[in-house]
Amino acid sequence: MTTAPSSPSRRAMLAAAATVAATGTVLSAAGAAPAAADAGKRPRKAVVFRNVRPFGARRPVDLTVVDGRISGGSAPSGAQVIDGGGRIALPSLVDAHIHPDKTSWGGPWVSRRPANTIADFVVQDVELFNSQSRSIGERAYGLMAHAVTRGTRAMRAHADVAPAYGLAGLEGIAAARERLKHALDVQIVAFPQHGVARTPGTATLLEEAARSGAADFIGGIDPISFDHALKEQLDLVFGLADRYGVGVDIHLHDTDDKGVTVLRGIIERTRTLSLQGRVTVSHVFCLPGLPDAELASLAEELGDLDISLTTVAPSRDLVLPIARLREHGVKVGLGSDGVRDAWSPFGNADMMHRAHILGWVTDMRLDEELSSCYDAATHGGSDVMGLARAGLTPGSPADFVLVQGECVPQVVVDMPQRDMVVHGGTVVAREGRLV
């Protein structure tokens, strides 16, 4: 069984913070990426973030960054110095599941009509798309840039692919990704929101997205309850992934046996096609209500095949049991889902707020529990996306936020302003605005 990297407990965080405070440097982490072999042969970009408190350490230290990574050594001469003002330094956040193409963010208020089924919402998706004067690229950029100012370092963005849109969603998100490449890492999913079998023409568009390189992942949606074509949808999605070397990320909303049946189909195809580490299942509402023995059995298979999961913490009954899944090596990321779109007027692409929601719906009260919510919004998403963790340790990416606060649990509860957002050692946002 493959075991995911263990999440830092509050005790470990405090121990690391104490060491930092005592020594003025950040200790090495096992497995940290080594410095480039030719680092001494070329000019190095060095920045010292002075007077910061990693993970809320009692005493401030200097955090040195060389060529976009945290350094455990002394700063090279001529390094730029940025004063952190005694603020807490925390790893930047990762949004493992978001739909930027659907958003009306930054535009006029949109009034919504009653809707009860996915089919109802799909109709309103198309109406919203046709009513917008701004392109998908502009709307997606506005939302994604806002996410950066709230401390997001990376996101997996789902774009609707259907005859009603063609590949406009993929193209719009790709344009926004290009504009924000200095500040945000983005993976794009070609998502068949309208279904694969029930909407003719979608399968052809998915293949075009995979073949052209427009999509990093091919998506799917409720193959039984919505598409009514379990074998057809899964065979198509996994066949494209295998043929074109892309990943899979499937929405699974079913809360009953249909969801478990789909999940077992995903497990079977992942094993048969040797797609370990390239498959994600989003939402997975069928897992939280399972008996312990069945949950453990499924979780062990998911962990063995390195199939990752994402949750958006929609409610106590539907949020994934993250801690129990991680016991079996399952990677679980947290996402913000839709933001101010046809499905809901709510959402803000602020992953610190989403960590707060995770704690709220699961009744987290203890410091270690609240810290685990921040871990899900940072390292959980990094693991799902296959990114190096931004752990504030030597060799890790210099992706972090500076906030006023006392400790990690208090930050999760109070959600302070992100005074400074750093990506790859460069300040990309200050006080809620892009630099």
Side-chain angles (χ1 to χ4, degrees):
M1 181 177 69
T2 302
T3 303
S6 59
S7 304
S9 66
R10 173 164 169 75
R11 182 178 300 173
M13 286 181 176
L14 290 175
T19 304
V20 167
T23 66
T25 60
V26 183
L27 290 180
S28 270
D38 64 344
K41 301 178 183 178
R42 54 184 168 78
R44 297 190 296 168
K45 180 182 177 182
V47 186
V48 177
F49 292 86
R50 183 150 292 163
N51 191 22
V52 300
R53 297 184 295 122
F55 296 107
R58 188 168 298 177
R59 290 173 50 194
V61 299
D62 293 344
L63 200 59
T64 300
V65 176
V66 178
D67 293 334
R69 292 190 174 270
I70 303 295
S71 170
S74 16
S77 60
Q80 180 186 5
V81 176
I82 297 175
D83 186 10
R87 291 172 177 80
I88 296 179
L90 293 173
S92 294
L93 299 130
V94 176
D95 194 329
H97 187 104
I98 187 171
H99 294 263
D101 64 315
K102 295 176 182 281
T103 193
S104 63
W105 186 268
W109 178 255
V110 174
S111 297
R112 294 154 185 86
R113 301 191 311 279
N116 298 308
T117 66
I118 291 176
D120 292 338
F121 285 114
V122 162
V123 170
Q124 294 192 38
D125 276 337
V126 177
E127 291 174 354
L128 179 63
F129 170 77
N130 290 330
S131 71
Q132 294 295 299
S133 60
R134 296 176 299 147
S135 69
I136 290 177
E138 284 301 316
R139 289 184 281 121
Y141 171 78
L143 182 64
M144 292 159 67
H146 173 77
V148 170
T149 68
R150 270 42 184 184
T152 294
R153 67 183 280 235
M155 62 173 55
R156 183 174 292 175
H158 296 253
D160 282 10
V161 170
Y165 319 113
L167 300 183
L170 295 175
E171 294 162 356
I173 293 177
R177 173 172 65 181
E178 178 64 21
R179 294 174 66 182
L180 289 166
K181 63 183 180 181
H182 66 291
L184 184 67
D185 297 321
V186 181
Q187 295 173 349
I188 302 178
V189 184
F191 172 50
Q193 177 73 82
H194 297 193
V196 175
R198 67 183 286 154
T199 307
T202 299
T204 300
L205 288 168
L206 289 175
E207 180 157 17
E208 183 180 346
R211 184 181 61 248
S212 67
D216 305 301
F217 290 78
I218 296 298
I221 180 170
D222 300 328
I224 296 178
S225 62
F226 181 64
D227 218 15
H228 308 298
L230 173 63
K231 185 176 187 304
E232 182 180 348
Q233 186 187 129
L234 292 186
D235 284 353
L236 173 75
V237 169
F238 278 84
L240 292 176
D242 184 45
R243 191 176 315 134
Y244 296 109
V246 296
V248 171
D249 194 324
I250 296 180
H251 284 55
L252 185 54
H253 302 101
D254 297 312
T255 58
D256 53 17
D257 290 343
K258 290 190 291 293
V260 175
T261 299
V262 173
L263 191 57
R264 292 195 184 281
I266 291 170
I267 289 170
E268 176 189 349
R269 284 165 175 79
T270 302
R271 181 182 290 114
T272 299
L273 295 172
S274 298
L275 292 177
Q276 290 91 333
R278 293 165 54 190
V279 176
T280 302
V281 191
S282 297
H283 304 309
V284 213
F285 293 157
C286 60
L287 282 182
L290 289 179
D292 286 345
E294 188 173 3
L295 174 62
S297 175
L298 276 171
E300 181 140 2
E301 289 191 84
L302 293 169
D304 284 345
L305 293 170
D306 197 10
I307 296 173
S308 60
L309 310 179
T310 63
T311 183
V312 299
S315 68
R316 183 175 182 85
D317 293 335
L318 297 179
V319 65
L320 289 176
I322 296 175
R324 291 165 65 194
L325 289 165
R326 284 184 169 176
E327 289 173 2
H328 297 276
V330 182
K331 299 170 183 174
V332 184
L334 186 64
S336 58
D337 209 11
V339 178
R340 203 164 297 183
D341 55 20
W343 293 61
S344 173
F346 294 101
N348 56 14
D350 183 341
M351 286 303 298
M352 192 177 289
H353 183 220
R354 189 59 53 168
H356 175 101
I357 291 173
L358 175 62
W360 180 280
V361 302
T362 53
D363 193 28
M364 297 296 192
R365 303 167 61 85
L366 305 181
D367 282 2
E368 186 163 347
E369 294 173 334
L370 292 167
S371 295
S372 75
C373 294
Y374 195 84
D375 179 74
T378 53
H379 300 325
S382 297
D383 293 345
V384 169
M385 290 185 65
L387 304 174
R389 290 184 170 195
L392 301 181
T393 52
S396 66
D399 295 348
F400 56 89
V401 295
L402 297 183
V403 299
Q404 297 280 6
E406 188 177 345
C407 58
V408 176
Q410 177 258 326
V411 166
V412 170
V413 171
D414 288 347
M415 299 174 289
Q417 173 179 275
R418 287 6 73 88
D419 293 337
M420 190 179 298
V421 180
V422 179
H423 187 74
T426 299
V427 178
V428 294
R430 289 180 184 267
E431 298 178 352
R433 295 181 180 276
L434 286 180
V435 173

